Amino acid sequence: AQKITQTQPGMFVQEKEAVTLDCTYDTSDQSYGLFWYKQPSSGEMIFLIYQGSYDEQNATEGRYSLNFQKARKSANLVISASQLGDSAMYFCAMREHEGAQKLVFGQGTRLTINP
Amino acid sequence: ETGVTQTPRHLVMGMTNKKSLKCEQHLGHNAMYWYKQSAKKPLELMFVYSLEERVENNSVPSRFSPECPNSSHLFLHLHTLQPEDSALYLCASSQGLALPYEQYFGPGTRLTVT
């Protein structure tokens, strides 16, 4: 069964610093996808970045990058030059290729950016 | 602007009421989803529709009844709910079911069952 673990319930970071949010996963499939979402206090989940299990390069989207270490089954999100608007809940999620309908989420990390 | 809208944004209902949540996507996607987000629990997938056909029912109690009349609209009909059903209900859509299509979420309906 697929499982996502986010071990940091909360993180506090100074504005303009880089921050790494941890995510480890467990799956027996060889083909899967990893996603990061941001959930501000307004409630909606905002898609940030995607990494496929066969992608050789780490995914990047603007200030977001994904540090994908397949052998360790980790997919950490790195936010460079953090901004006050980055304060939110961040969720790591995974979909397996087989039975690909199911997107399984971790517990989330609450990130607070201090001025 | 995500392209997925949900109404109402907030709903308070008694245990004997019947209400419906509505989701509409303006992205031309073929798949739609309902999720439940409870306090201190990860998001839980409830239902998946692809081309208006239900493809997943994730062991959801029958007091939740989904309906997908077309690829742009998804409803969640609620009846005889319990206080533990109070949660944020999120709708999402994606271009297709397979990877790498990401899901786009609406703002959610905050449901309180009294």
Side-chain angles (χ1 to χ4, degrees):
Chain A
Q2 28 180 148
K3 184 179 177 181
I4 296 284
T5 303
Q6 294 179 255
T7 57
Q8 307 152 310
M11 287 194 69
F12 295 84
V13 173
Q14 287 298 120
E15 190 179 8
K16 300 182 184 176
E17 290 183 351
V19 57
T20 298
L21 305 181
D22 295 341
C23 173
T24 58
Y25 59 91
D26 187 23
T27 179
S28 55
D29 267 26
Q30 296 301 310
S31 179
Y32 51 88
L34 295 154
F35 302 78
W36 276 93
Y37 285 86
K38 171 184 178 182
Q39 187 178 38
S41 56
S42 57
E44 68 183 271
M45 301 283 282
I46 302 168
F47 167 72
L48 296 178
I49 197 167
Y50 168 81
Q51 179 85 41
S53 58
Y54 291 115
D55 294 341
E56 295 184 355
Q57 304 268 359
N58 284 345
T60 60
E61 288 286 347
R63 293 187 299 112
Y64 304 109
S65 61
L66 203 151
N67 184 1
F68 181 47
Q69 298 188 42
K70 193 171 182 177
R72 294 186 177 184
K73 293 189 174 178
S74 76
N76 298 339
L77 177 70
V78 180
I79 306 174
S80 63
S82 57
Q83 302 170 356
L84 296 178
D86 294 333
S87 295
M89 283 291 290
Y90 287 81
F91 292 92
C92 180
M94 178 173 69
R95 285 175 74 173
E96 294 172 335
H97 178 74
E98 295 297 324
Q101 299 90 341
K102 194 161 188 169
L103 186 63
V104 176
F105 285 80
Q107 294 271 22
T109 295
R110 181 169 296 282
L111 176 64
T112 302
I113 307 298
N114 295 316
Chain B
E1 183 182 350
T2 64
V4 181
T5 58
Q6 289 186 243
T7 53
R9 294 293 309 275
H10 301 272
L11 178 63
V12 179
M13 59 185 290
M15 290 190 286
T16 57
N17 292 158
K18 288 185 180 180
K19 296 286 184 183
S20 296
L21 309 184
K22 179 183 176 182
C23 174
E24 184 174 1
Q25 58 97 358
H26 312 273
L27 301 168
H29 289 169
N30 293 319
M32 296 188 77
Y33 312 77
W34 278 117
Y35 287 87
K36 176 183 179 182
Q37 187 177 27
S38 306
K40 300 181 181 179
K41 290 179 71 175
L43 266 79
E44 302 171 74
L45 178 66
M46 299 176 72
F47 301 104
V48 181
Y49 277 82
S50 175
L51 298 171
E52 301 136 51
E53 181 179 336
R54 192 191 308 180
V55 297
E56 178 118 2
N57 176 349
N58 207 31
S59 302
V60 179
S62 59
R63 57 186 183 269
F64 295 92
S65 175
E67 178 190 2
C68 188
N70 55 62
S71 60
S72 298
H73 293 86
L74 184 65
F75 294 89
L76 187 63
H77 303 300
L78 316 171
H79 66 95
T80 326
L81 293 193
Q82 305 297 311
E84 60 265 28
D85 296 323
S86 298
L88 180 68
Y89 288 84
L90 290 161
C91 173
S93 71
S94 64
Q95 190 171 342
L97 292 179
L99 293 170
Y101 297 125
E102 65 270 23
Q103 295 177 19
Y104 292 85
F105 285 77
T109 295
R110 174 73 60 186
L111 173 67
T112 303
V113 181
T114 59

